[in-house]
Amino acid sequence: MVFDFFGTKKKVIIAMAHIGAMPGSPLYDEKGGMQKLIDGVAADIEKLQAGGVDAIMFGNENDRPYLLKATPESTAAMTAVVAALKPMITVPFGVNYLWDPTASVAIAAATGAQFVREIFTGVFASDMGVWAPDAATPARLRRNLGRPDMKLLYNINAEFAHSLDERPIELRARSAVFSSLADAILVSGPVTGEPADSSQLKRVCETVKDVPVFANTGVNLDNVKDTLALASGVIIGTHFKVDGITWNAVDEARVKRFMDKVETLR
């Protein structure tokens, strides 16, 4: 069992529901407005659930260039989108506002999400500048909002960034569980859609025993068997898209093929 809300399921698959560019973002479609955002994600959620995924996570991948601190307009917009679509969700769901863990927790608490993914710990040189997240603030917000049950999934090696911490990744992961109360550890590749280094994933899985470890990026039909031999589950977005392109709509047939293979592995 990974988390209580998954029941007895093992090796869980969390699928990304990518929201279109939101208000304030350079790519926002003002003509389509909020309704276009809601309709686009609704279509993806329908296909993901029909394909049999175990959970869904909302993300604002289209809000490029990414922010390290959420704006009021994008926080409000993401909350509105998740709240509008919650009635159609039949599986556990989570939230990830890139790249603000406090905003992610706030949106998740407001919408009743079961989990949050973000960068909570470490110091990074990134495309967005020097990146120094603060695990204490979102953890305290979770408590103050009455959601101690909400799981915090710590991405331990950020995409689009290089860690300035010289400790091996497995030691950073173990430390994040001990010092910063991570409920799960995620291991990522260098950018969205690219797989994590298999040796890094293996070392983290061998070192972190108290919480689940997930592969966070780049999992596909070809590598899922080897990945799930190590990890408790995966978070997957790009592979489920038409032609395997991150910015495209979800392809239900790709989801179904992937989940059919997963069912043979667990």
Side-chain angles (χ1 to χ4, degrees):
M1 183 175 65
V2 179
F3 295 128
D4 290 346
F5 48 77
F6 286 123
T8 59
K9 280 188 176 179
K10 298 180 179 179
K11 305 295 184 179
V12 299
I13 310 302
I14 300 174
M16 294 303 303
H18 291 154
I19 303 169
M22 295 188 296
S25 170
L27 299 177
Y28 177 58
D29 180 357
E30 293 183 2
K31 185 175 180 179
M34 289 292 295
Q35 193 58 52
K36 182 178 179 181
L37 296 181
I38 292 169
D39 292 344
V41 186
D44 282 352
I45 290 173
E46 186 175 355
K47 295 170 187 174
L48 291 170
Q49 291 186 152
V53 302
D54 300 316
I56 286 170
M57 179 157 56
F58 291 92
N60 62 324
E61 263 77 1
N62 288 284
D63 279 348
R64 296 167 286 159
Y66 299 119
L67 296 168
L68 297 181
K69 183 173 177 55
T71 61
E73 58 268 32
S74 58
T75 304
M78 189 165 181
T79 304
V81 171
V82 177
L85 296 171
K86 182 179 177 179
M88 72 177 293
I89 299 174
T90 59
V91 294
F93 75 95
V95 168
N96 180 200
Y97 184 108
L98 302 170
W99 292 95
D100 188 332
T102 301
S104 297
V105 168
I107 296 166
T111 57
Q114 285 96 340
F115 58 93
V116 161
R117 174 187 72 175
E118 245 312 312
I119 301 293
F120 288 88
T121 58
V123 179
F124 301 87
S126 79
D127 293 349
M128 294 75 68
V130 176
W131 187 354
D134 166 22
T137 297
R140 282 160 171 75
L141 180 63
R142 173 178 65 169
R143 179 72 180 188
N144 292 340
L145 292 176
R147 288 297 313 276
D149 60 301
M150 182 194 301
K151 302 301 183 183
L152 303 183
L153 282 54
Y154 283 41
N155 189 356
I156 205 67
N157 57 330
E159 302 102 290
F160 316 109
H162 172 72
S163 175
L164 299 179
D165 188 335
E166 295 182 352
R167 292 177 297 170
I169 188 172
E170 64 271 22
L171 297 187
R172 290 190 282 120
R174 186 178 69 183
S175 182
V177 175
F178 182 89
S179 71
S180 300
L181 307 180
D183 293 312
I185 294 293
L186 313 182
V187 182
S188 303
V191 299
T192 298
E194 293 189 13
D197 182 299
S198 59
S199 66
Q200 289 187 343
L201 179 63
K202 184 174 187 291
R203 296 201 312 269
V204 173
C205 289
E206 289 174 346
T207 303
V208 175
K209 299 298 184 181
D210 297 334
V211 302
V213 175
F214 288 79
N216 190 48
T217 62
V219 180
N220 56 49
L221 200 62
D222 295 327
N223 64 22
V224 64
K225 180 178 179 180
D226 291 340
T227 302
L228 289 182
L230 297 170
S232 298
V234 307
I235 298 174
I236 180 168
T238 296
H239 183 68
F240 285 165
K241 302 299 188 72
V242 173
D243 297 326
I245 297 174
T246 303
W247 318 116
N248 287 347
V250 169
D251 181 338
E252 186 178 333
R254 291 175 73 98
V255 180
K256 185 69 166 58
R257 285 195 298 271
F258 184 89
M259 292 306 301
D260 284 347
K261 183 165 184 176
V262 167
E263 289 304 326
T264 70
L265 302 174
R266 59 180 180 179

